[in-house]
Amino acid sequence: MKKEDLRIIFMGTPEFAVGTLKALVEGGYNVVAVVTQPDKPVGRHQDTLQPSQVKLYAMEHDIPVLQPVKMKDPEFVETLRSYNADLQVVVAFRMLPEVVWNMPRFGTFNVHAALLPQYRGAAPINWAVINGEEMTGVTTFFLDQDIDTGRIIEQRKFPIPDDADVEYVYDGLMHLGAEIALSTVDKVIEGDGKVDSMPQDDTAATKHAPKIFKETCEMDWHRDAKAVYDFVRGLSPYPGAWTTLVPKEGKPLTMKVFKTVKTGIPVGDMLPGEIMMEKGRMLVACSDCMLEISELQISGKRRMSAHDFLNGFKNIDNYTCK
């Protein structure tokens, strides 16, 4: 079988998925349709509809786009079946019902941004950095009835530098995910649908990647400085770790923290969350030592360096991080 003969339906929504879709299209693979989320209402009055990044790319390349509200909708299922796809490729999309993932004759595989079975779930990149991992990667696996549990086809590793934030890892895995997706499709073509795969070891699934909410992003200064440092870079630049600046008197302020620096300075008798100024630096006590905040954003203000913030905020010593 030639790659032009393999009919592929691609499913995905965010920018991360575009990397793989672009690689398939530019590589000459036969993407016959794209499935993505419905356009999202945005704006103050929610009266503007914003298409997904995957939809925008598909429209630019004249690829038919399907946007079901419900994946089990009979009309959608019949439309999907009408494309007579041999294979479905899924990247950063929702959970699929069996009627969908079991439809193509060669099955459906997913590109997951982690080394399964570790970090099953919605936010594997964030949690790998938050947990201080030195290595992550991408996995292709065949979908089954559970989330991220299917038979593994391929894996590739990606090192995480100690100073890397989520944006760096995201970009790296987006490109690596595109590479492994093409390699997996080629395996399907070479084997005429028969691809070697191996079951996951569920007992090794000890680290998870649940969806991240606002409350997930609140900083805990009672943890050691390395854990807080990793927490910040695991959420930077988006959605952003945050803490509350509580004054001795007056109104508290919400502060997002985008970058910190490990100092090794002992906390002495300071309590977690207490702030100290030293030579123009903003230091906050953790459970073991001080952590410097170097980039931040006060609610309603722009993102800025701590130096610029302190130039216009003279009484920071009267505040405590909670």
Side-chain angles (χ1 to χ4, degrees), residues 114 256 299:
K256 280 192 173 184
S299 182

Side-chain angles (χ1 to χ4, degrees), residues 137-157:
V138 289
T139 302
T140 52
F141 67 96
F142 285 116
L143 289 188
D144 61 15
Q145 63 272 17
D146 295 315
I147 297 176
D148 301 334
T149 60
R151 295 180 66 88
I152 292 174
I153 308 166
E154 285 192 74
Q155 290 188 318
R156 296 189 184 182
K157 294 181 178 180

Side-chain angles (χ1 to χ4, degrees), residues 120-131:
R120 294 171 176 171
I125 304 176
N126 297 93
W127 286 108
V129 181
I130 288 171
N131 289 337

Side-chain angles (χ1 to χ4, degrees), residues 275-289:
I275 300 172
M276 179 178 74
M277 294 292 298
E278 183 185 78
K279 298 179 181 179
R281 298 191 298 168
M282 182 178 176
L283 307 178
V284 184
C286 299
S287 65
D288 57 346
C289 59

